[in-house]
Amino acid sequence: MNKTIARTPAGAGVTTRTIAKAAVIGSGVMGAGIAAHLANAGIPCLLLDIVPTSLTPEEEQKGLTLEHPQVRNRLAAKAVAALPKSSTAPLYRADDAARITPGNTEDHLAQLRDADWIIEVVTERLDIKKSILKQIESVRKEGAIVSTNTSGISVNAMAEDCSEEFRRHFLGTHFFNPPRHMKLLEIIPGYDTDPEITAFMVQFCTKRLGKGVVVAKDTPNFIANRIGTYGLLVTLQEMIRGGYTVEEVDAATGPVLGRPKSATFRTLDLVGIDTFGHVARNVYDQAPAGKEREVFAVPHVMEQLVARGWIGEKSGQGFYKKIKGEQGSQILSLHLDSMEYHPVAKVSSGSLEAAKAVKGARKKVKAFLSTPDRYSELAWHVLKQVLVYAAEKLGEIADSVQDVDNAMKWGFNWELGPFETWDLIGLPASVQRMEAEGLTVPAWVKEWIASGNRSFYKTEEGQLFHYHKGAYRGVETEPERISLSLLKQQNRIIRANSGANLIDLGDEVACLEFTSPNNAIGADILVMIQQSVDEVRANYRGLVIANEGRNFCVGANLMLMLMEAQSGDWDEVDDIIHLFQGSMMKLKQLEKPVVAAPHRMTLGGGVEACLPADRIIFSAETYFGLVETGVGLIPAGGGCKELALMISDSHPDPEADLQPAINRVFEMIAMAKTSTSGPDAIRMGYGRPGDTVVMNQDYRIYESKQAVLEMDRAGYAPRDPGRIRVTGRDGRAVLQMGALSLKQGGYISDHDYLIAKKLAHVLTGGDVPAGTVVSEQHLLDLEREAFLSLLGEVKTQQRMQHMLAKGKPLRN
């Protein structure tokens, strides 16, 4: 049975508290998104909103009145109905919406007494929030947790009129938008919040909701928005002072500085310039007069943009504007002096090129900042102010440098937090430069350096330490968080080559880690798979396949295949496919348990590296699919074979009709469909009995290790060689007829039809009678033959070139 894993960490203490049912008040974008994520976690949720005061034209046409339940529940019901269609995909699976019950705050308020956790997500106004909390207090059961989702209003001020018992169970839970996809959750306890409630919520939201939780103090905008907003505002100030353009600023404050591609102004457009203004004004209104308050004054240019309605992506224009012309779409950028749009200019310089020439955020930042020119100068002037501000606010907004760093990484998608960045650029030297340039560095930082310390973090004997109130303190780690990078620092690598490592996880379990660019599978990874099987067979209890890359694996090395094909070295291509298939079969036939732990993009060959495992533990955010048809090929590393075997095994009756299942898999591969989540991958048919989903991606390696140990303790027995019942010629005819009708209808091209015919031939077992039982090798041979044939096609090679150059499929 498929399930979602949410364990209590070892040593965390025993608690009888649970959250079996939740309620959300406010069905706007955030409220509906939070309710959706609770539903993703398997928690039934009541979603309430106000009763409408007028009828819609559609309701009038139906003859409804304001008293009709359909009208009174309209706002929440409409929000729930919109969830499966939302572009932000708030649900793991569309049918998860069934866990959300819509209602209204007049007729259904009493139902809050059934909820273990009630979340208020109404308008960001203190008076409205206080009123809602009093309504909640009138009906909630004693001991129920109540939280407010606010981006900056005081948690203590909200609950000041509520009872002591209520305040002990009340706190802030600031989800970042969209709640499913943004990792950060800031938990803000009030003065009277019971520490046990805070601890429980940290644990629950980490485990069950999969969040990266930081504990913030009840200060304006908390941690991430406080520092992030400050950083964006000083960037704008430096831009104006230095006469930079919008695109120049984004070039200097994006990936080269360890920040997202959206950098500064694309981020503002995405967030909404009006929304950003509200967040900045919140600090301005509450900060004491002085330099900090002046920084948070909303810049005149932003006020102008809001007045014109140019508030970013939601209005179609902001700092950037996209237009369509005869040559296709074009991106324009705003010139702040004239308030006119112009075509985006290409930005290049020595520092930018130096950063692009190296891999990894740390190397990029160092290369960029150490190459002097006007762009690295801009970045330095922004960065130094942000670092000093983070140091000034430590103790006020959070106690831990790690909480500040994590908040920025999880909430703003920075690769490195402020204190990690400070360590990277050199703490003593950078402070000396800052002071020489007239910046006042907080006394505690200078005292820290004077005591002989050169960084805020350090690692000793594999243990990570960080600055905490004047001393190094060991970073607390849960047993569920297994860090491969830390294990490598502890010299736990068993084997290594240019594309992969085999790492000792402890307890006689090994982990195969891909390390190639984009974790694409090439000969180096395949060789390491074979060596890992031999090593585990001799010395270990089992194997985990996992890594800490941005994505698990984007597929096989496409460039290598294309180069070999264009040079006509078909023997070499055939050898590579044989090596790929042989490696997957060797992995599958290992006499020890194997568990794969995919996360995020797991495509093509990445899927084929997971399917031979005894068990797959999907991260909730796993986008899983055999997408080879997008580059004119079909899966040839065992993907077709494994899905055909799964269908055969799930229909043990020799008279059972396999065709509907084969039709579904054929469509899935032919259309290069990818799951929208881990649960969706299971729904699509990639999951087997025993496969699970882990909500918190950081726990996938631990859970995989536990699964290996569990199978080993139970007396693991290797699987017998697969025997696959196929649909043969008759099934192939059905599939090809369907593809032909699509071609004749103009839905697919001639080349798509050729690919579909080859795929149909493989999935149905080739030229054999229906019901024939074939070996796994038989289907592997068909896969290889079809792959080689398609790779020789000019149109396939054109698709491969287009994918490598543009990053998207070509339909030719």
Side-chain angles (χ1 to χ4, degrees):
M1 180 179 177
N2 299 314
K3 58 182 182 295
T4 298
I5 298 170
R7 291 194 176 133
T8 301
V14 178
T15 177
T16 57
R17 181 177 289 276
T18 185
I19 293 175
K21 186 173 182 180
V24 174
I25 301 180
S27 66
V29 172
M30 278 303 296
I34 292 170
H37 197 58
L38 292 168
N40 289 337
I43 302 167
C45 182
L46 179 67
L47 180 63
L48 305 183
D49 212 316
I50 60 172
V51 175
T53 57
S54 61
L55 296 172
T56 65
E58 293 79 10
E59 289 167 344
E60 289 179 349
Q61 190 174 4
K62 292 179 181 178
L64 302 178
T65 69
L66 288 174
E67 299 306 312
H68 195 285
Q70 188 175 325
V71 176
R72 294 176 71 80
N73 297 339
R74 182 213 307 153
L75 296 179
K78 188 176 179 181
V80 174
L83 288 172
K85 306 167 193 172
S86 171
S87 60
T88 60
L91 296 167
Y92 289 158
R93 293 171 34 162
D95 56 8
D96 286 336
R99 294 195 182 101
I100 307 173
T101 303
N104 67 75
T105 52
E106 292 183 17
D107 301 329
H108 307 112
L109 193 70
Q111 292 183 23
L112 295 181
R113 67 169 58 94
D114 298 327
D116 303 300
W117 179 17
I118 303 165
I119 311 170
E120 167 274 303
V121 198
V122 300
T123 305
E124 285 282 273
R125 271 180 46 186
L126 180 59
D127 58 336
I128 294 175
K129 286 183 176 288
K130 290 179 77 168
S131 173
I132 289 292
L133 292 184
K134 290 302 291 182
Q135 291 182 53
I136 293 171
E137 184 175 25
S138 70
V139 295
R140 68 176 269 275
K141 65 185 177 185
E142 186 174 343
I145 295 170
V146 180
S147 71
T148 174
N149 185 77
T150 175
S151 58
I153 296 178
S154 171
V155 171
N156 289 295
M158 278 185 225
E160 63 185 1
D161 298 330
C162 297
S163 68
E164 182 193 355
E165 193 276 336
F166 183 96
R167 295 197 306 273
R168 282 195 287 111
H169 295 85
F170 178 69
L171 69 172
T173 47
H174 179 209
F175 288 83
F176 270 56
N177 191 32
R180 167 189 165 180
H181 297 284
M182 292 300 293
K183 184 172 182 177
L184 180 62
L185 172 61
E186 293 176 319
I187 286 184
I188 310 100
Y191 298 138
D192 299 318
T193 307
D194 188 330
E196 289 187 9
I197 295 297
T198 302
F200 169 77
M201 289 299 288
V202 168
Q203 176 185 300
F204 179 84
C205 294
T206 301
K207 297 285 180 184
R208 190 71 182 271
L209 301 187
K211 290 296 166 191
V213 179
V214 297
V215 177
K217 298 192 177 184
D218 190 16
T219 55
N221 291 4
F222 312 128
I223 303 174
N225 277 343
R226 184 73 170 267
I227 294 175
T229 303
Y230 180 91
L232 288 166
L233 288 169
V234 296
T235 301
L236 189 57
Q237 291 174 0
E238 290 298 327
M239 170 193 184
I240 294 169
R241 186 179 66 82
Y244 295 91
T245 65
V246 164
E247 53 265 49
E248 285 179 322
V249 171
D250 275 357
T253 59
V256 296
L257 202 58
R259 309 286 168 77
K261 290 181 180 178
S262 56
T264 297
F265 292 110
R266 291 187 191 279
T267 296
L268 285 167
D269 278 354
L270 287 167
V271 169
I273 296 164
D274 55 337
T275 301
F276 178 82
H278 292 313
V279 174
R281 201 169 288 111
N282 187 51
V283 179
Y284 181 84
D285 290 342
Q286 299 184 61
K291 184 180 176 182
E292 179 187 9
R293 191 167 190 260
E294 291 170 7
V295 171
F296 283 94
V298 178
H300 178 63
V301 65
M302 288 191 175
E303 292 179 335
Q304 281 185 287
L305 289 170
V306 172
R308 295 179 184 218
W310 299 356
I311 56 176
E313 193 170 87
K314 57 190 175 186
S315 69
Q317 63 189 105
F319 288 102
Y320 290 96
K321 180 180 180 180
K322 188 175 183 179
I323 62 171
K324 291 186 178 179
E326 294 180 1
Q327 303 300 317
S329 297
Q330 184 181 18
I331 304 295
L332 309 178
S333 66
L334 185 68
H335 285 206
L336 302 191
D337 52 353
S338 65
M339 295 298 284
E340 294 178 351
Y341 289 96
H342 298 268
V344 169
K346 182 175 176 57
V347 181
S348 182
S349 78
S351 63
L352 296 172
E353 293 306 313
K356 290 177 184 176
V358 294
K359 300 291 185 183
R362 291 179 177 275
K363 291 181 180 178
K364 284 183 181 295
V365 173
K366 292 197 78 168
F368 177 51
L369 293 176
S370 61
T371 308
D373 62 22
R374 68 188 303 263
Y375 298 117
S376 59
E377 180 184 5
L378 167 65
W380 165 251
H381 286 308
V382 170
L383 181 62
K384 67 181 182 182
Q385 295 181 72
V386 173
L387 299 184
V388 167
Y389 186 70
E392 289 173 348
K393 295 295 120 183
L394 188 69
E396 178 185 335
I397 61 176
D399 285 329
S400 160
V401 296
Q402 188 179 34
D403 275 347
V404 173
D405 282 347
N406 284 340
M408 300 316 299
K409 290 189 290 185
W410 297 339
F412 277 72
N413 292 320
W414 291 9
E415 294 280 351
L416 302 164
F419 296 101
E420 290 172 325
T421 303
W422 215 336
D423 282 355
L424 177 69
I425 64 176
L427 178 59
S430 63
V431 166
Q432 188 175 14
R433 180 180 174 185
M434 290 171 184
E435 292 192 307
E437 294 174 358
L439 210 57
T440 301
V441 177
W444 73 263
V445 175
K446 292 191 288 184
E447 290 167 4
W448 182 245
I449 296 170
S451 299
N453 301 296
R454 303 184 63 81
S455 62
F456 296 110
Y457 293 88
K458 70 174 182 178
T459 302
E460 288 184 356
E461 298 180 358
Q463 169 69 43
L464 181 63
F465 296 84
H466 67 94
Y467 170 88
H468 184 78
K469 296 181 178 180
Y472 278 120
R473 186 168 83 172
V475 173
E476 295 179 10
T477 57
E478 303 161 272
E480 288 90 345
R481 293 182 189 268
I482 294 179
S483 167
L484 297 181
S485 60
L486 204 56
L487 290 176
K488 286 185 282 189
Q489 291 177 32
Q490 297 170 359
N491 298 315
R492 301 277 284 275
I493 295 178
I494 305 162
R495 291 175 176 267
N497 66 20
S498 59
N501 296 315
L502 186 65
I503 301 169
D504 186 350
L505 295 181
D507 298 316
E508 300 176 70
V509 178
C511 178
L512 174 63
E513 174 198 35
F514 301 165
T515 60
S516 62
N518 295 316
N519 289 336
I521 296 177
D524 45 8
I525 288 179
L526 297 174
V527 168
M528 182 56 68
I529 288 173
Q530 301 225 11
Q531 292 177 350
S532 297
V533 169
D534 293 337
E535 184 72 39
V536 170
R537 177 179 290 125
N539 300 308
Y540 290 85
R541 296 166 69 181
L543 178 68
V544 169
I545 306 173
N547 62 69
E548 294 174 332
R550 176 171 176 76
N551 298 300
F552 177 80
C553 177
V554 298
N557 189 328
L558 202 59
M559 176 66 79
L560 175 64
M561 288 289 185
L562 180 60
M563 289 171 58
E564 298 290 0
Q566 290 180 333
S567 66
D569 197 345
W570 295 107
D571 287 341
E572 181 66 23
V573 175
D574 193 42
D575 287 345
I576 293 171
I577 301 171
H578 269 293
L579 178 62
F580 200 133
Q581 293 183 343
S583 299
M584 298 305 116
M585 286 300 292
K586 188 169 183 177
L587 189 63
K588 184 174 183 176
Q589 292 163 355
L590 176 61
E591 300 87 352
K592 306 288 181 69
V594 178
V595 178
H599 68 281
R600 296 187 63 81
M601 286 173 55
T602 305
L603 307 175
V607 172
E608 291 175 310
C610 293
L611 293 178
D614 298 285
R615 191 173 297 177
I616 301 176
I617 294 184
F618 295 93
S619 166
E621 297 297 339
T622 305
Y623 320 123
F624 202 80
L626 294 168
V627 297
E628 286 84 352
T629 58
V631 289
L633 298 166
I634 71 160
C640 297
K641 179 262 296 181
E642 285 295 328
L643 290 178
L645 177 59
M646 286 165 65
I647 290 171
S648 178
D649 286 347
S650 64
H651 294 75
D653 183 351
E655 301 300 319
D657 185 7
L658 303 177
Q659 194 67 48
I662 286 291
N663 292 349
R664 178 181 52 76
V665 166
F666 172 75
E667 179 184 353
M668 189 167 74
I669 300 175
M671 302 299 289
K673 291 183 178 180
T674 303
S675 73
T676 59
S677 66
D680 190 51
I682 291 174
R683 179 199 62 80
M684 289 173 68
Y686 285 113
R688 295 83 49 93
D691 290 350
T692 55
V693 175
V694 62
M695 288 291 288
N696 193 316
Q697 183 171 299
D698 295 340
Y699 298 162
R700 66 191 186 280
I701 298 174
Y702 170 86
E703 295 294 352
S704 299
K705 176 183 172 182
Q706 297 309 305
V708 165
L709 294 173
E710 174 191 322
M711 285 187 278
D712 177 69
R713 285 192 295 266
Y716 178 80
R719 288 171 287 179
D720 294 329
R723 304 294 294 170
I724 309 166
R725 185 164 64 93
V726 296
T727 57
R729 303 183 198 100
D730 295 347
R732 182 181 63 193
V734 172
L735 298 181
Q736 291 182 353
M737 183 62 68
L740 179 61
S741 67
L742 289 174
K743 183 174 87 76
Q744 291 173 336
Y747 296 104
I748 63 174
S749 68
D750 288 344
H751 195 54
D752 290 326
Y753 179 56
L754 174 64
I755 298 165
K757 288 198 298 181
K758 300 278 188 184
L759 177 61
H761 184 72
V762 174
L763 286 174
T764 57
D767 193 19
V768 297
T772 299
V773 176
V774 301
S775 67
E776 292 186 62
Q777 189 60 51
H778 175 80
L779 286 192
L780 288 175
D781 291 342
L782 294 180
E783 282 187 9
R784 190 176 69 258
E785 291 165 8
F787 186 93
L788 287 166
S789 172
L790 288 169
L791 187 58
E793 295 284 337
V794 172
K795 288 188 175 181
T796 285
Q797 293 179 19
Q798 290 172 345
R799 290 190 179 192
M800 295 171 76
Q801 287 175 321
H802 191 270
M803 178 63 75
L804 288 167
K806 305 290 186 180
K808 54 186 178 181
L810 169 69
R811 291 298 176 194
N812 55 352

